Amino acid sequence: MSFDRSLKIAPSILSADFANFGAECEAVEAQGADWVHVDVMDGHFVPNITFGPSTCKAIRPHIKGVMDVHLMIAPVDPYIEAFAESGADFITAHVEAGPHIHRTLQAIRGAGAKAGVALNPATPASAVEELLDMVDLVCVMTVNPGFGGQSFIDMTAKVAKLRAMIGDRPIHIEIDGGVTPATAPLVANAGADVLVAGSAVFGGGSVSNPAPYGENIRAIRDACA
């Protein structure tokens, strides 16, 4: 998987039809999605429960491109191997989820996946400064994690700081939460290159009528152009 900083749209299956995940992944990729984003929540680190490694393993054959797994769980370490074995290309853990994020990132890379670190809105960019040589992705939360469909919290200044800190390292900056054609250009212009969008992609479409997925993806991409 070669690194590039071109804009990537990563629809979150949190907003897809839960009874039809495989077909939803295929439909959204066919309509122009670059990555597929899987939001894993445990009802403990965040106030919601979604899915686990078995769901990732089930949808993996339906995803041609990148499966981007975002672990909003604590503890993280006991589950890394299972998510890696499920076919995750990227596994992202929260810097706030435990005392030893350095060890967690080592474990993710050791399991054969790309390592991501996520920052809640109240966590400063400086929290990952000492981790940049061991991550492949920094995820900036632009909502408080736990639910889909929340309003965007402007983290443009944090994104710009991260972009400056990263320099020429091959690290993606991902935005997760409240991404729409109105908010996407703010973070893209500040240096983000992966935009996670849930309801903004899946809204108005379905497996039987996937064309709106493509229109929604194009609208976000065109707004950032």
Side-chain angles (χ1 to χ4, degrees):
M1 204 175 359
S2 60
F3 179 84
D4 77 273
R5 232 182 266 288
S6 64
L7 189 74
K8 289 162 281 294
I9 310 296
S12 166
I13 63 166
L14 195 59
S15 297
D17 175 2
F18 277 33
N20 225 349
F21 273 151
E24 287 275 47
C25 291
E26 290 174 8
V28 83
E29 279 194 325
Q31 291 294 326
D34 301 291
W35 293 9
V36 173
H37 188 82
V38 185
D39 282 308
V40 177
M41 305 182 190
D42 64 356
H44 169 72
F45 180 65
V46 293
N48 197 5
I49 297 173
T50 57
F51 9 80
S54 54
T55 303
C56 294
K57 190 175 184 180
I59 63 174
R60 178 72 256 194
H62 300 274
I63 299 171
K64 291 194 183 85
V66 169
M67 183 163 79
D68 175 34
V69 176
H70 177 191
L71 302 182
M72 286 169 269
I73 67 175
V76 181
D77 296 9
Y79 302 98
I80 288 168
E81 200 154 310
F83 281 103
E85 286 172 0
S86 76
D89 294 297
F90 283 83
I91 297 176
T92 296
H94 273 257
V95 74
E96 309 88 0
H100 306 297
I101 186 66
H102 192 282
R103 180 182 294 153
T104 300
L105 295 168
Q106 283 178 317
I108 293 170
R109 283 190 163 177
K114 300 268 190 188
V117 62
L119 296 168
N120 282 340
T123 304
S126 59
V128 299
E129 196 164 2
E130 304 300 326
L131 302 171
L132 292 178
D133 289 324
M134 55 187 315
V135 299
D136 304 286
L137 178 148
V138 179
C139 175
V140 177
M141 296 302 298
T142 40
V143 297
N144 287 297
F147 296 97
Q150 297 184 76
S151 297
F152 181 82
I153 301 169
D154 189 353
M155 290 285 138
T156 309
K158 188 193 288 189
V159 173
K161 272 184 201 160
L162 284 165
R163 187 68 200 85
M165 279 162 50
I166 285 166
D168 59 3
R169 294 177 179 93
I171 299 173
H172 298 288
I173 299 178
E174 179 174 75
I175 302 299
D176 188 355
V179 169
T180 66
T183 59
L186 302 173
V187 284
N189 291 339
D193 65 293
V194 182
L195 304 181
V196 176
S199 40
V201 167
F202 285 100
S206 65
V207 165
S208 56
N209 176 34
Y213 298 167
E215 291 160 17
N216 294 339
I217 289 168
R218 282 190 295 279
I220 295 169
R221 217 186 283 284
D222 290 350
C224 297

